[in-house]
Amino acid sequence: MTELVDELENPLILIVDDEFMQRLPMREALEQDGCRVVEAENGEQAWEIIQKERPDMVISDVVMPRMDGFSMCQIIRQQKGLEHLPIVMATSLDDMTSIERAYRLGATDFITKPIHWGLLGHRVRYILRSASTAQALSNREMELLRTRMEIIRRLGQAAEYRDNETGLHIMRMSRYSALLGQAHGLSLSDQELLLEAAPMHDVGKIGIPDSILLKPGKLTETEFTIMKRHTLLGGELLDREPSLLLQTAHLIALTHHEKWDGKGYPYGMAGEEIPLMGRICSLADVFDALTSKRPYKEPWSVEESVNEIRRCSGTAFDPRLVPLFVEVLPEIMVIKETFSDISQSILAPAKPSS
Ligand SMILES: [Fe+2]
Ligand SMILES: [Fe+2]
């Protein structure tokens, strides 16, 4: 759709009616009012014109041969980018059933025939203005949502940078998680959800002191109690968000250290009580931790790590996920190589010496 100013000055209106004698006076009235006009004889023709010329508004008859007004309305609303295209139904059928059906299918407004030609222009501009405001609001909402998600994503990354110089852990671990989700039979949208939400699993580490987070040796009992709080802190940080992504991230942050046998933290949940997303991320997270260098340990070999995962099947990990993980190991290895810390340090610019 064109800019607001253009819409108000010379909007392009598509008239859809099978009767020439209905289209003609409408065209004249609209042109007199400064609108540009294109015409179609039925829904099918209208749909072609909409895709090519992107009109600012459609005024359509309801009963037409080939494709009627209802079907046309439905098709327009299913098309991405046309959610806010104003569709006005012009009909002599003033029965409530037709009007309700058209509204349900996405019509913006109604004009009943016979049309008062002198008022048509005012009506058209009023509807265009409302549609333009709705579009602007929806763009703004999308922008806010995008910004909010980006801030949270960066927060996750910031938390990761504190105990992992390259930040590649979250890239690998989220990809391992999505792959495991796929092997488990999750839908494509749930796999994407995992990929996007898993990077925030340790966002609560922002609230853990460096002396504990970066300690090279084993943590004392008190230090470990504090460390465990990163799950609850992350959960709080991502709480009460309406988006499915952040709700998933909230669940993962809370449950990625729970264990199948109930001996994990923070709640000691067991078995399927632990959300599937949490169980998947837990396995992916541990595998990457085992195969990576950490302040307190050298990396384990893949073989040793897989053996450890197998050994913990049914205690730390969901026993159905472990064989799936082993099954997709060749793909896991590709991700591991692609996002390896070594390739990152080769690519990264040298740090200036102080
Ligand atoms: Fe964690
Ligand atoms: Fe992690």
Side-chain angles (χ1 to χ4, degrees), residues 270-285:
E272 289 188 359
E273 206 187 339
I274 310 164
L276 176 64
M277 300 287 201
R279 278 179 265 150
I280 290 177
C281 285
S282 158
L283 202 160
D285 192 31

Side-chain angles (χ1 to χ4, degrees), residues 124-226:
V124 162
R125 284 180 194 278
Y126 174 76
I127 295 167
L128 278 174
R129 218 170 285 128
S130 314
S132 178
T133 311
Q135 174 81 62
L137 273 176
S138 133
N139 288 348
R140 179 102 190 92
E141 267 168 27
M142 283 304 292
E143 183 56 32
L144 277 174
L145 189 67
R146 260 198 299 272
T147 309
R148 194 167 56 192
M149 276 167 22
E150 186 57 19
I151 289 171
I152 299 287
R153 194 184 67 77
R154 287 180 190 217
L155 211 56
Q157 210 164 30
E160 203 61 39
Y161 275 123
R162 293 193 59 214
D163 71 341
N164 178 311
E165 251 193 25
T166 64
L168 283 167
H169 163 61
I170 55 171
M171 300 185 86
R172 290 188 298 260
M173 168 280 176
S174 56
R175 282 165 175 81
Y176 296 162
S177 301
L179 189 60
L180 199 48
Q182 184 187 27
H184 188 272
L186 287 188
S187 68
L188 205 61
S189 61
D190 279 350
Q191 291 169 39
E192 269 170 29
L193 210 53
L194 254 175
L195 187 68
E196 307 242 309
M200 299 172 230
H201 69 282
D202 269 342
V203 71
K205 280 186 178 172
I206 279 185
I208 305 298
D210 278 358
S211 57
I212 295 175
L213 201 60
L214 305 175
K215 186 176 173 179
K218 202 173 178 320
L219 298 181
T220 65
E221 208 172 307
T222 321
E223 286 167 339
F224 190 50
T225 307
I226 296 171

Side-chain angles (χ1 to χ4, degrees), residues 166 168 337 339-351:
T166 64
L168 283 167
E337 290 310 310
F339 298 96
S340 79
D341 293 301
I342 297 164
S343 66
Q344 170 77 6
S345 60
I346 291 167
L347 292 171
K351 283 184 187 163

Side-chain angles (χ1 to χ4, degrees), residues 203-343:
V203 71
K205 280 186 178 172
I206 279 185
I208 305 298
D210 278 358
S211 57
I212 295 175
L213 201 60
L214 305 175
K215 186 176 173 179
K218 202 173 178 320
L219 298 181
T220 65
E221 208 172 307
T222 321
E223 286 167 339
F224 190 50
T225 307
I226 296 171
M227 182 64 167
K228 287 198 275 193
R229 284 188 54 225
H230 80 274
T231 50
L232 295 168
L233 289 172
E236 265 172 49
L237 207 61
L238 300 163
D239 202 7
R240 286 181 290 275
E241 277 293 339
S243 87
L244 187 58
L245 171 62
L246 292 181
Q247 282 171 13
T248 310
H250 163 81
L251 268 186
I252 292 173
L254 272 181
T255 62
H256 71 280
H257 286 289
E258 295 291 356
K259 291 184 177 169
W260 184 258
D261 62 5
K263 292 185 181 158
Y265 64 89
Y267 300 121
M269 291 171 160
E272 289 188 359
E273 206 187 339
I274 310 164
L276 176 64
M277 300 287 201
R279 278 179 265 150
I280 290 177
C281 285
S282 158
L283 202 160
D285 192 31
V286 170
F287 177 76
D288 195 61
L290 290 174
T291 48
S292 303
K293 185 174 161 51
R294 290 287 162 98
Y296 50 88
K297 71 168 220 12
E298 286 304 310
W300 290 22
S301 72
V302 171
E303 199 188 338
E304 285 168 327
S305 307
V306 173
N307 285 341
E308 179 64 8
I309 299 277
R310 275 199 176 114
R311 193 182 66 78
C312 297
S313 175
T315 51
F317 307 120
D318 179 344
R320 278 162 310 174
L321 287 177
V322 173
L324 294 176
F325 181 79
V326 175
E327 218 176 278
V328 296
L329 200 58
E331 288 156 83
I332 295 276
M333 294 315 294
V334 174
I335 298 169
K336 187 177 178 313
E337 290 310 310
T338 312
F339 298 96
S340 79
D341 293 301
I342 297 164
S343 66

